[in-house]
PDB file of all heavy atoms in Angstrom:
ATOM      1  N   ASP C 340      24.583  28.708 -10.244  1.00  0.00           N
ATOM      2  CA  ASP C 340      25.341  29.953 -10.207  1.00  0.00           C
ATOM      3  C   ASP C 340      25.352  30.562  -8.807  1.00  0.00           C
ATOM      4  O   ASP C 340      26.329  31.217  -8.409  1.00  0.00           O
ATOM      5  CB  ASP C 340      24.754  30.959 -11.197  1.00  0.00           C
ATOM      6  CG  ASP C 340      24.930  30.506 -12.647  1.00  0.00           C
ATOM      7  OD1 ASP C 340      25.616  29.487 -12.877  1.00  0.00           O
ATOM      8  OD2 ASP C 340      24.353  31.151 -13.541  1.00  0.00           O
ATOM      9  N   ASN C 341      24.287  30.353  -8.074  1.00  0.00           N
ATOM     10  CA  ASN C 341      24.209  30.880  -6.718  1.00  0.00           C
ATOM     11  C   ASN C 341      25.124  30.110  -5.767  1.00  0.00           C
ATOM     12  O   ASN C 341      25.743  30.690  -4.872  1.00  0.00           O
ATOM     13  CB  ASN C 341      22.767  30.818  -6.216  1.00  0.00           C
ATOM     14  CG  ASN C 341      22.609  31.433  -4.846  1.00  0.00           C
ATOM     15  OD1 ASN C 341      22.999  32.564  -4.610  1.00  0.00           O
ATOM     16  ND2 ASN C 341      22.032  30.670  -3.925  1.00  0.00           N
ATOM     17  N   LEU C 342      25.234  28.790  -5.981  1.00  0.00           N
ATOM     18  CA  LEU C 342      26.009  27.951  -5.067  1.00  0.00           C
ATOM     19  C   LEU C 342      27.493  27.883  -5.395  1.00  0.00           C
ATOM     20  O   LEU C 342      28.329  27.747  -4.505  1.00  0.00           O
ATOM     21  CB  LEU C 342      25.449  26.519  -5.076  1.00  0.00           C
ATOM     22  CG  LEU C 342      24.409  26.175  -4.007  1.00  0.00           C
ATOM     23  CD1 LEU C 342      23.169  27.055  -4.146  1.00  0.00           C
ATOM     24  CD2 LEU C 342      24.027  24.702  -4.086  1.00  0.00           C
ATOM     25  N   MET C 343      27.847  27.993  -6.672  1.00  0.00           N
ATOM     26  CA  MET C 343      29.216  27.699  -7.095  1.00  0.00           C
ATOM     27  C   MET C 343      30.275  28.590  -6.438  1.00  0.00           C
ATOM     28  O   MET C 343      31.335  28.082  -6.036  1.00  0.00           O
ATOM     29  CB  MET C 343      29.316  27.786  -8.621  1.00  0.00           C
ATOM     30  CG  MET C 343      30.482  26.991  -9.186  1.00  0.00           C
ATOM     31  SD  MET C 343      30.390  25.204  -8.830  1.00  0.00           S
ATOM     32  CE  MET C 343      29.103  24.684  -9.957  1.00  0.00           C
ATOM     33  N   PRO C 344      30.065  29.895  -6.276  1.00  0.00           N
ATOM     34  CA  PRO C 344      31.097  30.704  -5.599  1.00  0.00           C
ATOM     35  C   PRO C 344      31.370  30.228  -4.175  1.00  0.00           C
ATOM     36  O   PRO C 344      32.533  30.228  -3.726  1.00  0.00           O
ATOM     37  CB  PRO C 344      30.501  32.118  -5.619  1.00  0.00           C
ATOM     38  CG  PRO C 344      29.584  32.113  -6.803  1.00  0.00           C
ATOM     39  CD  PRO C 344      28.986  30.744  -6.829  1.00  0.00           C
ATOM     40  N   TRP C 345      30.327  29.808  -3.472  1.00  0.00           N
ATOM     41  CA  TRP C 345      30.507  29.296  -2.104  1.00  0.00           C
ATOM     42  C   TRP C 345      31.336  28.013  -2.113  1.00  0.00           C
ATOM     43  O   TRP C 345      32.294  27.870  -1.352  1.00  0.00           O
ATOM     44  CB  TRP C 345      29.146  29.050  -1.464  1.00  0.00           C
ATOM     45  CG  TRP C 345      29.194  28.155  -0.261  1.00  0.00           C
ATOM     46  CD1 TRP C 345      28.823  26.844  -0.172  1.00  0.00           C
ATOM     47  CD2 TRP C 345      29.658  28.516   1.051  1.00  0.00           C
ATOM     48  NE1 TRP C 345      29.036  26.362   1.083  1.00  0.00           N
ATOM     49  CE2 TRP C 345      29.541  27.356   1.865  1.00  0.00           C
ATOM     50  CE3 TRP C 345      30.172  29.692   1.610  1.00  0.00           C
ATOM     51  CZ2 TRP C 345      29.921  27.352   3.206  1.00  0.00           C
ATOM     52  CZ3 TRP C 345      30.541  29.672   2.949  1.00  0.00           C
ATOM     53  CH2 TRP C 345      30.408  28.524   3.731  1.00  0.00           C
ATOM     54  N   PHE C 346      30.985  27.084  -2.992  1.00  0.00           N
ATOM     55  CA  PHE C 346      31.723  25.827  -3.074  1.00  0.00           C
ATOM     56  C   PHE C 346      33.180  26.074  -3.462  1.00  0.00           C
ATOM     57  O   PHE C 346      34.088  25.424  -2.947  1.00  0.00           O
ATOM     58  CB  PHE C 346      31.060  24.883  -4.088  1.00  0.00           C
ATOM     59  CG  PHE C 346      29.974  24.037  -3.497  1.00  0.00           C
ATOM     60  CD1 PHE C 346      28.739  24.581  -3.180  1.00  0.00           C
ATOM     61  CD2 PHE C 346      30.173  22.688  -3.255  1.00  0.00           C
ATOM     62  CE1 PHE C 346      27.732  23.804  -2.634  1.00  0.00           C
ATOM     63  CE2 PHE C 346      29.173  21.890  -2.706  1.00  0.00           C
ATOM     64  CZ  PHE C 346      27.945  22.450  -2.388  1.00  0.00           C
ATOM     65  N   ASN C 347      33.398  27.001  -4.369  1.00  0.00           N
ATOM     66  CA  ASN C 347      34.759  27.294  -4.817  1.00  0.00           C
ATOM     67  C   ASN C 347      35.588  27.917  -3.702  1.00  0.00           C
ATOM     68  O   ASN C 347      36.746  27.543  -3.485  1.00  0.00           O
ATOM     69  CB  ASN C 347      34.721  28.240  -6.023  1.00  0.00           C
ATOM     70  CG  ASN C 347      36.109  28.535  -6.561  1.00  0.00           C
ATOM     71  OD1 ASN C 347      36.858  27.621  -6.862  1.00  0.00           O
ATOM     72  ND2 ASN C 347      36.452  29.813  -6.671  1.00  0.00           N
ATOM     73  N   ALA C 348      34.984  28.855  -2.960  1.00  0.00           N
ATOM     74  CA  ALA C 348      35.722  29.570  -1.917  1.00  0.00           C
ATOM     75  C   ALA C 348      36.048  28.677  -0.727  1.00  0.00           C
ATOM     76  O   ALA C 348      37.177  28.686  -0.226  1.00  0.00           O
ATOM     77  CB  ALA C 348      34.914  30.788  -1.448  1.00  0.00           C
ATOM     78  N   VAL C 349      35.089  27.895  -0.296  1.00  0.00           N
ATOM     79  CA  VAL C 349      35.269  27.139   0.942  1.00  0.00           C
ATOM     80  C   VAL C 349      35.644  25.678   0.682  1.00  0.00           C
ATOM     81  O   VAL C 349      36.710  25.213   1.084  1.00  0.00           O
ATOM     82  CB  VAL C 349      34.002  27.223   1.819  1.00  0.00           C
ATOM     83  CG1 VAL C 349      34.195  26.457   3.115  1.00  0.00           C
ATOM     84  CG2 VAL C 349      33.677  28.678   2.125  1.00  0.00           C
ATOM     85  N   GLU C 350      34.783  24.958   0.010  1.00  0.00           N
ATOM     86  CA  GLU C 350      35.052  23.546  -0.273  1.00  0.00           C
ATOM     87  C   GLU C 350      36.307  23.393  -1.136  1.00  0.00           C
ATOM     88  O   GLU C 350      37.173  22.568  -0.857  1.00  0.00           O
ATOM     89  CB  GLU C 350      33.860  22.915  -0.996  1.00  0.00           C
ATOM     90  CG  GLU C 350      32.528  23.023  -0.266  1.00  0.00           C
ATOM     91  CD  GLU C 350      32.312  21.901   0.742  1.00  0.00           C
ATOM     92  OE1 GLU C 350      33.093  20.943   0.716  1.00  0.00           O
ATOM     93  OE2 GLU C 350      31.365  22.006   1.527  1.00  0.00           O
ATOM     94  N   GLY C 351      36.362  24.188  -2.214  1.00  0.00           N
ATOM     95  CA  GLY C 351      37.474  24.063  -3.143  1.00  0.00           C
ATOM     96  C   GLY C 351      38.814  24.407  -2.517  1.00  0.00           C
ATOM     97  O   GLY C 351      39.801  23.676  -2.681  1.00  0.00           O
ATOM     98  N   SER C 352      38.873  25.523  -1.787  1.00  0.00           N
ATOM     99  CA  SER C 352      40.149  25.956  -1.200  1.00  0.00           C
ATOM    100  C   SER C 352      40.620  24.958  -0.141  1.00  0.00           C
ATOM    101  O   SER C 352      41.819  24.660  -0.043  1.00  0.00           O
ATOM    102  CB  SER C 352      39.997  27.347  -0.588  1.00  0.00           C
ATOM    103  OG  SER C 352      39.032  27.348   0.455  1.00  0.00           O
ATOM    104  N   TYR C 353      39.695  24.443   0.639  1.00  0.00           N
ATOM    105  CA  TYR C 353      40.056  23.452   1.664  1.00  0.00           C
ATOM    106  C   TYR C 353      40.615  22.186   1.020  1.00  0.00           C
ATOM    107  O   TYR C 353      41.674  21.673   1.416  1.00  0.00           O
ATOM    108  CB  TYR C 353      38.835  23.117   2.512  1.00  0.00           C
ATOM    109  CG  TYR C 353      39.085  21.980   3.483  1.00  0.00           C
ATOM    110  CD1 TYR C 353      39.806  22.195   4.657  1.00  0.00           C
ATOM    111  CD2 TYR C 353      38.617  20.696   3.218  1.00  0.00           C
ATOM    112  CE1 TYR C 353      40.063  21.156   5.541  1.00  0.00           C
ATOM    113  CE2 TYR C 353      38.861  19.658   4.089  1.00  0.00           C
ATOM    114  CZ  TYR C 353      39.586  19.883   5.254  1.00  0.00           C
ATOM    115  OH  TYR C 353      39.832  18.851   6.109  1.00  0.00           O
ATOM    116  N   THR C 354      39.930  21.692   0.000  1.00  0.00           N
ATOM    117  CA  THR C 354      40.366  20.473  -0.681  1.00  0.00           C
ATOM    118  C   THR C 354      41.737  20.654  -1.314  1.00  0.00           C
ATOM    119  O   THR C 354      42.620  19.782  -1.196  1.00  0.00           O
ATOM    120  CB  THR C 354      39.340  20.069  -1.759  1.00  0.00           C
ATOM    121  OG1 THR C 354      38.065  19.858  -1.141  1.00  0.00           O
ATOM    122  CG2 THR C 354      39.767  18.800  -2.477  1.00  0.00           C
ATOM    123  N   ARG C 355      41.931  21.791  -1.998  1.00  0.00           N
ATOM    124  CA  ARG C 355      43.217  22.034  -2.651  1.00  0.00           C
ATOM    125  C   ARG C 355      44.362  22.094  -1.638  1.00  0.00           C
ATOM    126  O   ARG C 355      45.429  21.503  -1.837  1.00  0.00           O
ATOM    127  CB  ARG C 355      43.169  23.326  -3.474  1.00  0.00           C
ATOM    128  CG  ARG C 355      42.365  23.215  -4.760  1.00  0.00           C
ATOM    129  CD  ARG C 355      42.557  24.439  -5.640  1.00  0.00           C
ATOM    130  NE  ARG C 355      42.086  25.662  -5.000  1.00  0.00           N
ATOM    131  CZ  ARG C 355      40.821  26.099  -5.065  1.00  0.00           C
ATOM    132  NH1 ARG C 355      39.905  25.400  -5.718  1.00  0.00           N
ATOM    133  NH2 ARG C 355      40.477  27.227  -4.478  1.00  0.00           N
ATOM    134  N   PHE C 356      44.141  22.813  -0.517  1.00  0.00           N
ATOM    135  CA  PHE C 356      45.213  22.971   0.471  1.00  0.00           C
ATOM    136  C   PHE C 356      45.583  21.638   1.107  1.00  0.00           C
ATOM    137  O   PHE C 356      46.763  21.272   1.185  1.00  0.00           O
ATOM    138  CB  PHE C 356      44.800  23.964   1.563  1.00  0.00           C
ATOM    139  CG  PHE C 356      45.801  24.038   2.685  1.00  0.00           C
ATOM    140  CD1 PHE C 356      47.005  24.700   2.511  1.00  0.00           C
ATOM    141  CD2 PHE C 356      45.550  23.417   3.896  1.00  0.00           C
ATOM    142  CE1 PHE C 356      47.945  24.743   3.534  1.00  0.00           C
ATOM    143  CE2 PHE C 356      46.483  23.452   4.920  1.00  0.00           C
ATOM    144  CZ  PHE C 356      47.677  24.123   4.742  1.00  0.00           C
ATOM    145  N   VAL C 357      44.584  20.897   1.569  1.00  0.00           N
ATOM    146  CA  VAL C 357      44.873  19.623   2.239  1.00  0.00           C
ATOM    147  C   VAL C 357      45.528  18.642   1.266  1.00  0.00           C
ATOM    148  O   VAL C 357      46.456  17.912   1.628  1.00  0.00           O
ATOM    149  CB  VAL C 357      43.594  19.022   2.857  1.00  0.00           C
ATOM    150  CG1 VAL C 357      43.871  17.647   3.436  1.00  0.00           C
ATOM    151  CG2 VAL C 357      43.050  19.940   3.949  1.00  0.00           C
ATOM    152  N   SER C 358      45.077  18.637   0.022  1.00  0.00           N
ATOM    153  CA  SER C 358      45.684  17.758  -0.982  1.00  0.00           C
ATOM    154  C   SER C 358      47.157  18.093  -1.185  1.00  0.00           C
ATOM    155  O   SER C 358      48.007  17.200  -1.301  1.00  0.00           O
ATOM    156  CB  SER C 358      44.934  17.878  -2.315  1.00  0.00           C
ATOM    157  OG  SER C 358      43.607  17.418  -2.194  1.00  0.00           O
TER     158      SER C 358
END
Side-chain angles (χ1 to χ4, degrees):
D340 294 353
N341 184 53
L342 266 61
M343 203 61 74
W345 162 256
F346 273 74
N347 182 54
V349 181
E350 304 274 349
S352 61
Y353 173 77
T354 301
R355 287 190 298 273
F356 173 75
V357 175
S358 296

